[in-house]
Amino acid sequence: MLKSQLLAQLLKLLASGLLLISFAMLSRRRTQRLITLFAWQGAILFLSTSLVAWDAGLTELWYSAALTLLLKVMALPWILHRLIQKLGAQWDSEPLVNIPVTMLVGLVLVIFAFGLAQPISMMATTITRHTIGIALAVILLAFLMMITRRKAITQVIGFLAMENGLFFAATSATYGMPMVIELGIALDLLVAVFILGIFFFQIREQFDSLDLHHLESLREE
Amino acid sequence: MSYVLGWMTATTRPEHALQFLVVLIAAWVVLAPVGLLRPHSLHLVAHILFPLGAIVSAAVAMQAGIDLIAGPTPQTMILPLGLPDLPFHLRLDPLSAFFLLLLGAAGAGISIFSAGYFRVGEGSAPALHGLQYHVFLASMAVVILADDAYLFMVAWETMALSSYFLVTSQHRIPEIRRAGFLYLLMAHVGALCILLTFGVLQGGSWQFTFAAMRGASLTPFWATTAFTLALLGFGAKAGLVPLHVWLPEAHPAAPSPVSAMMSGLMLKTAIYGMLRTSFDLLHVQFWQWGAAMLALGLFSALFGAIFAAVQTDMKRLLAYSSIENIGLIFAAIGLSILFAASHMPLFAALALTAALLHALNHALFKSLLFLATGSVLHATQQRSLGKLGGLIRRMPWVAVLALVGTLAIAGLPPLNGFVSEWLLLQSFLFTPQLPHAFVNMLVPLGAAALALTVALAAYVMVKFYGIIFLGQPREANLSHAHDANKLERLGLGWLAAGCILLGVLPQLALRVAGPVTGQLLGKTVAPAVSLWRIAPVAPEQASYSGLIFLAGIVGVFGITFVLVRLIAHGRTRRTAPWDCGYPWQTARMQDTAEGFGQPIRHMFGAFFRMERDLPAPDDVAPRYRIHVEDRFWRTIYQPVARSVQRIADGISILQGGRLSVYLLYSFITLLVLLVFVL
């Protein structure tokens, strides 16, 4: 009993860490720092998934945790790191909306997410049910980051952070998705990063910049 | 060696037929990517892979034939492939065996021809041709063997895609890309209809095996819906009017062996699908289905024949002729449904036999003709009939073999086209016994339309053969034309031999079609009264003997030859023909493709949309131009295309070009959905 309560508290702590990192990502402008934050997010995800796996005694969740560690803490940050080295894109330009306003919008989103998560938490029976709101908030904040940034690489990090939120939501609500789906998503992520990496080079080749507003000229008139 | 022989005999035993066929299909699949090892080596693809593919085709045909003659019981098999809980089911029954026989027999000829046909520098690399070609063959075989909707659709789409890549092999030419797109579009619209058909057929059981669909009981409304969707879906693939527009575009765009495959084999998979759904899965319920199909089929046949008559491109002409033949097959199936639903299984079996035989015959002679156009194309670089002519001297082999195909498609005895058209006409003659007065009155009209179509088809073939091979060469460079190479001749010869064999001994075809009608209708047309003649219903009513015709033709020909030799021997002389006192004749003063089609264009003017530029009488350099167009383009396709364009334009307001705005759309959608759902 004590153990499970302690675990629940620990999980809540980790979840709040996740939320904090999401806000930090919203406020950062250096790409390098964003990647580090993303790796930290992955690490927290790995810890929380392992805890849930230990508590529920589910082998499949152990696999998911291992996958998270390999993919999100090691492989993807490393690939992204290499990418920005090659592209020389250490700095994002000024975001479309300035950072304080973004943070305020983020706050509203968190409240919205918590409000939404209330009925789901009532229904769920998992140890992590109170963290569903946070998971939802992480998804929305990552989405917000994608909207407000200009550079292609920041958007990809936002996309990956969003997937982290989804993964967290899945573990909190139902102890994770079926293994087949999880493997599929992991593969999709990896492929997406590779393809986007290729796109980055193409975009830079074409426009001499990674700034996405150049893409507006592609629109068919 | 003896071990191999033992294995061969063991695998050809009827009870292992399905396993053996699966091994053969797997052999195609294995052959497909081998060429990629050396993508630009023509030698590997042409001299090893295509001949091996041909051997596999012949083995498929042989196995299917043995299976049909040995009187098989349906064999089923579950492949350990596919998704979890959704394995692939296979089934070999007489219907699928018959179509495999067709596929293998014609496919062997086409493969051998392809071995000699493909050249470096024409379209995609040889290895890609080999890959797509064998995948195409294998997917068609799987379509025919599939016993659940899932595998059927997977194979069906594979077939559409592999043939799309074959059609667009010369994708650098814009017209070919356009033709390919049109083909892909129609293939997908058709596939969608077929998917919906299966959705209706499962009848609420959510079981997608054909076995479950056979057992499902549908209300008349849903059964009719399923039939209509199937007619649309398979009709789009087969080229039934008004879903035919892709055929005259895609067939000329493709390399000739591919045109032959598409016209000879792929259209038949649509026929197979139609038979499978309407007879096997839906158990033929209402005569109205047959009446609708009969009307559509006859209209397509007439439409195809009329349009073929005015074409000036030899491959377009053959494509329209395919529409005509598919129309005839659909008409025969419609008639069969009409009879079967009116409880006259024997006549239904007669009409169905006609449909099956015509499908088999069409696979043989249409492939033969498309391949012949391929040889002509290689020899002359010309597809336009107006620039050909007199090729019988330059290309005697192709000319003689194409003549066999031309006579067969024109429906002349003792070749195979005559047999099936004769059987179809026979089955029309029994329609007065139908219990529906209204249909009784209309069907004679159908018989007349059939007779007209067949006559027009013969006219078209006179034009096809006459303009290309007879007369004088219309262009100077035609004198450099060379005959087909040995492999090409072998492929053409194989198909021509098939045309002759099935024409002289139609008993063989009736024998293999018998089990199919037995399976679908429980009746079989009397297979053979004797070895030398066929009498489908009763010998005193009508019978036909290919052998007698052959003997008559050979006899008359021989006697004439001998007489001419005896009388005129040694006294032949060559002179110029009488030139009407006009000494400045050129090779262009012959009947042209346009001129030959003019009477038809005049008589059936209502079918066409014509644009003509007539030169003024005082023009020094007169040019005559005519453009004949399909009315369906303007009445059906363009309005649809325009409304799609309009809707797309309306939606494109959303496309501002800014990525963050796009993301905002998704974000707002997500928020709204979250609020809405929770």
Side-chain angles (χ1 to χ4, degrees), chain B residues 511-588:
Chain B
R511 181 76 186 79
V512 290
V516 185
T517 55
Q519 177 206 353
L520 297 182
L521 295 162
K523 280 276 183 193
T524 304
V525 180
V529 177
S530 67
L531 191 65
W532 55 276
R533 68 170 186 178
I534 55 167
V537 176
E540 64 274 10
Q541 213 156 14
S543 64
Y544 163 73
S545 167
L547 278 177
I548 291 183
F549 266 102
L550 184 67
I553 289 169
V554 169
V556 169
F557 189 80
I559 290 169
T560 317
F561 186 77
V562 169
L563 281 181
V564 168
R565 269 297 161 117
L566 279 180
I567 295 166
H569 184 66
R571 276 169 285 152
T572 49
R573 66 194 166 92
R574 268 177 199 276
T575 56
W578 183 52
D579 54 9
C580 308
Y582 182 77
W584 300 284
Q585 277 189 1
T586 69
R588 299 207 64 82

Side-chain angles (χ1 to χ4, degrees), chain B residues 95 275-276 279-280 284 352 515-523:
Chain B
L95 180 60
L275 289 175
R276 177 66 77 194
F279 283 86
D280 191 22
V284 181
L352 189 59
V516 185
T517 55
Q519 177 206 353
L520 297 182
L521 295 162
K523 280 276 183 193

Side-chain angles (χ1 to χ4, degrees), chain B residues 220-244:
Chain B
F221 171 75
W222 283 114
T224 306
T225 309
F227 178 81
T228 315
L229 284 169
L231 190 59
L232 281 176
F234 292 116
K237 193 60 148 189
L240 210 57
V241 176
L243 300 168
H244 63 286

Side-chain angles (χ1 to χ4, degrees), chain B residues 29 248 259 310 328 406 498 533 558 629 668:
Chain B
V29 176
S259 317
V310 300
L328 288 183
T406 311
R533 68 170 186 178
E629 206 181 58
I668 291 168

Side-chain angles (χ1 to χ4, degrees), chain B residues 390-397 473 478-483:
Chain B
L391 287 177
I392 196 166
R393 302 213 177 278
R394 300 279 156 209
M395 312 177 70
W397 274 93
L478 291 184
S479 54
H480 303 302
H482 53 85
D483 208 351

